[in-house]
Amino acid sequence: MTSSRNAHVFLWAVPRSLSTAFTRSMESIDNVAIYLEPYGCAEHFGPEGRLIPKDTSPTEMEYTYDKVKASLEDKSLENKCVFVKDMGYAVHKRYDKIAKGYKHSFLIRHPIKSFLSYYNMMVSTGADDVDGNFISWLPEGLGYQELWELYCYIENENGKKPFVVNSEDLLNDPQQVLKQYCEAVGFEYNDGLLNWDSKPKVKWNMAQAVWDLEPIYNWFSNSLTAGGFKKGLSKPLPSIEELPKIVQECVRKSMPYYEKLNACC
């Protein structure tokens, strides 16, 4: 097991939940190694993936679940802090493949905001079938069900509740939330977590396939260039009736799981 000084931490999230911005923040943790969605890459681009993009073949043959687990348990990481940001659905029903020796945390966002952001991202690609493309990247439970089930699994395995961050709380009072987060997972807080520029402070460990699609989907653009977390950035929720029909459907299916997770904050 690692000491609190060299904590190893998972942040499990849903798409478009400010998780990449959160990762930028964690670059300021001293002596940190950052991994961006290794299990997500296995799920979308690896040979065992269940959500490989339509009409494509696996492109990241090294990203098997066993190899991802082994890489995150490598002894070379023993003397470092490690932060792994990943999608909860990527390990759904593959819990035995989750790397050992890590503390677990969760990041949630109201489904209206996350799905609307996801939908707008898909529109920006110029795809002919936005609704179909929108759904094709998501698991059966749309991410929230899988995240809740992962939370229950981790709580049952460890005998205590994992730390949950609501992105709205993070935007409303980033310093306070990040201080609480660091205390919960064993990182040492510093004010550098609140700000970043366009140049990463730490090189991320991530698959080339993710970077290759960045010009199309702009997964990270805002997070990479934004100046950081500033208090009071949260915006009001739009009315669900104003949303595209496919987004409304996803929101309604996801709200029960979001509310369960939100009650754990």
Side-chain angles (χ1 to χ4, degrees), residues 29-45:
I29 296 297
D30 186 47
N31 190 36
V32 71
I34 289 179
Y35 289 79
L36 194 92
E37 301 182 23
Y39 289 108
C41 180
E43 184 72 300
H44 287 288
F45 305 108

Side-chain angles (χ1 to χ4, degrees), residues 58-249:
T59 57
E60 296 285 353
M61 302 307 293
E62 291 297 308
Y63 274 78
T64 67
Y65 277 80
D66 283 335
K67 287 183 178 179
V68 169
K69 182 176 185 290
S71 69
L72 295 177
E73 294 175 345
D74 194 89
K75 289 186 176 181
S76 65
L77 298 175
E78 287 181 354
N79 294 320
K80 295 187 72 67
C81 290
V82 180
F83 179 79
V84 185
K85 188 269 278 196
D86 221 319
M87 297 293 112
Y89 65 75
V91 293
H92 187 57
K93 296 183 179 180
R94 285 173 164 167
Y95 300 140
D96 61 315
K97 304 301 183 182
I98 298 174
K100 304 296 184 183
Y102 281 73
K103 295 182 179 180
H104 296 268
S105 58
F106 290 75
L107 178 66
I108 61 173
R109 190 183 191 188
H110 196 287
I112 285 180
K113 290 191 174 181
S114 63
F115 284 121
L116 182 58
S117 174
Y118 203 79
Y119 185 85
N120 289 337
M121 181 187 72
M122 291 299 176
V123 170
S124 72
T125 67
D128 294 331
D129 182 12
V130 172
D131 287 6
N133 203 25
F134 178 83
I135 291 297
S136 69
W137 284 92
L138 296 172
E140 183 179 357
L142 303 175
Y144 284 86
Q145 179 179 345
E146 290 84 0
L147 195 67
W148 169 245
E149 292 178 3
L150 176 60
Y151 177 94
C152 294
Y153 169 80
I154 296 297
E155 181 183 14
N156 184 63
E157 282 289 296
N158 295 343
K160 58 182 180 181
K161 295 181 181 296
F163 193 81
V164 181
V165 176
N166 189 309
S167 65
E168 294 303 302
D169 296 331
L170 179 63
L171 293 177
N172 283 325
D173 195 348
Q175 185 180 57
Q176 179 64 19
V177 170
L178 288 171
K179 282 182 177 180
Q180 292 172 345
Y181 181 81
C182 288
E183 182 177 358
V185 302
F187 286 156
E188 186 174 342
Y189 173 84
N190 67 82
D191 284 339
L193 274 66
L194 299 171
N195 301 286
W196 58 85
D197 55 29
S198 59
K199 184 178 180 180
K201 300 174 185 177
V202 177
K203 183 179 179 181
W204 296 357
N205 295 281
M206 62 184 295
Q208 185 61 41
V210 180
W211 276 124
D212 288 345
L213 289 175
E214 166 63 13
I216 299 173
Y217 289 98
N218 294 310
W219 315 107
F220 311 129
S221 295
N222 289 340
S223 298
L224 292 174
T225 58
F229 292 123
K230 296 178 178 62
K231 192 170 184 177
L233 284 178
S234 178
K235 297 179 181 179
L237 281 175
S239 168
I240 191 170
E241 288 75 18
E242 300 172 5
L243 307 177
K245 184 177 179 181
I246 187 69
V247 175
Q248 292 186 35
E249 293 172 357

